[in-house]
Amino acid sequence: MPHIFPPQHHESLTKAVETLQKGGVVAFATETVYGLGANALNGEAVARIYAAKGRPSFNPLIVHVADKQDCAHYAEITPLAAQLLAAFAPGALTLVLNRKADCPLSSLVSAGLNTVALRVPAHPVAQNLLKAAGLPIAAPSANRSGRISPTKAKHVAEEFADMPELMIMDGGNAPIGLESTVVDARGHAPVLLRPGAITPEMLEQATGIACLLPDAAPEVFHSPGQMQSHYAPHRPVRLNITHAQIGEALLGFGHMPKATLNLSPTGDLVEAAAKLFDYLRELDREPFTAIAVAPIPHEGIGIAINDRLHRAAAPR
Ligand code: TXA
Ligand code: MG
């Protein structure tokens, strides 16, 4: 099994930095989900991430940096990007921007596109690793491609049980529990490529510009990773269910005394987001035949929850 290291464990931080510098892969906590990281300047190191995840090579990775100032080394910062960084970095926001002409990042992180996705994570475990390594770290979520994202160190260890040498920098339960909001910030208006904890309303409030959805211009904007089937448990998932069938697990929301597990008995969407991936994993087991999920209000972070649930339920 991979090794799980507690935060503030200085020897493990030193070893993780050495691993990254040598082109290896390290898993670490962020406030959204756990990431599987490698040196974004080193193509071979980035290739190891694709190999470990079984990720299709056309799906680009997010590059994590310690400070918002670092983004300008790698990408062209539009006025919109500057506004969004000022409002939301560090945090759960990823910006897709044009790569600078002399961008030193491996072209693999961009999967051959001329854009790059950048994020400044706020979690102290991610921050400490980025600062100690002094490197940009390419990191997708630390799950096998197409599967449920990890919100605990234990989930990462289960996903990569066949990589006994993998180091996991533990940061406890990921406080947000859903991947970052991905925004294309190359133009005048923010284009939402993946919903997350930073909602369209928050983006609009920070910029004063209405947020576009990729459906508005699918030929121009798309995110290669937003595949229909994703975040998928092994069992089938059925949505908007209030009464499960015999044999099914019921994942509840709000007052539902018959739920097998409840994302938030009080109907709190932030709590539900933090528990979603953990509970989907918990219910993906014998004796259940399927996972039936209660209706989730489509507002605020509920939009991101429903996005993940629709992909989890999509035909495989
Ligand atoms: O919260 C998160 O974002 C986590 C943590 C570890 O930072 N990372 C994460 O990475 O969710 P990943 O690889 O699972 O998802 C990255 C998403 C994918 O949908 C990918 O297609 C999109 O970002 N993406 C990355 N680079 C892009 C680019 N240049 N253009 C458009 N979309 C891009
Ligand atoms: Mg992912």
Side-chain angles (χ1 to χ4, degrees), residues 45-205:
V46 176
R48 289 200 181 96
I49 299 178
Y50 282 92
K53 279 189 60 113
R55 185 178 180 105
S57 59
F58 57 78
N59 189 5
L61 306 179
I62 296 173
V63 175
H64 298 69
V65 294
D67 193 284
K68 59 183 118 182
Q69 254 74 39
D70 299 338
C71 295
H73 300 320
Y74 308 119
E76 285 166 16
I77 307 300
T78 58
L80 176 66
Q83 258 182 329
L84 291 171
L85 287 170
F88 301 113
L93 181 71
T94 295
L95 295 182
V96 171
L97 296 166
N98 284 321
R99 289 172 67 109
K100 276 180 56 170
D102 56 350
C103 176
L105 299 172
S106 156
S107 59
L108 259 191
V109 301
S110 299
L113 302 170
N114 56 9
T115 54
V116 62
L118 295 173
R119 175 172 173 224
V120 189
H123 196 289
V125 166
Q127 274 289 330
N128 288 342
L129 186 63
L130 284 162
K131 289 208 179 104
L135 293 169
I137 299 181
S141 49
N143 51 279
R144 302 280 175 181
S145 187
R147 294 289 164 193
I148 306 172
S149 296
T151 56
K152 298 176 181 224
K154 169 183 102 165
H155 298 159
V156 182
E158 286 163 7
E159 289 281 317
F160 298 101
D162 60 339
M163 286 175 65
E165 75 293 358
L166 179 67
M167 295 183 72
I168 304 171
M169 312 303 276
D170 193 355
N173 293 347
I176 293 176
L178 294 180
E179 303 84 350
S180 60
T181 303
V182 180
V183 173
D184 186 330
R186 290 176 296 165
H188 174 68
V191 180
L192 184 70
L193 298 181
R194 180 175 70 183
I198 294 171
T199 62
E201 296 79 49
M202 292 162 72
L203 295 168
E204 286 179 24
Q205 213 173 27

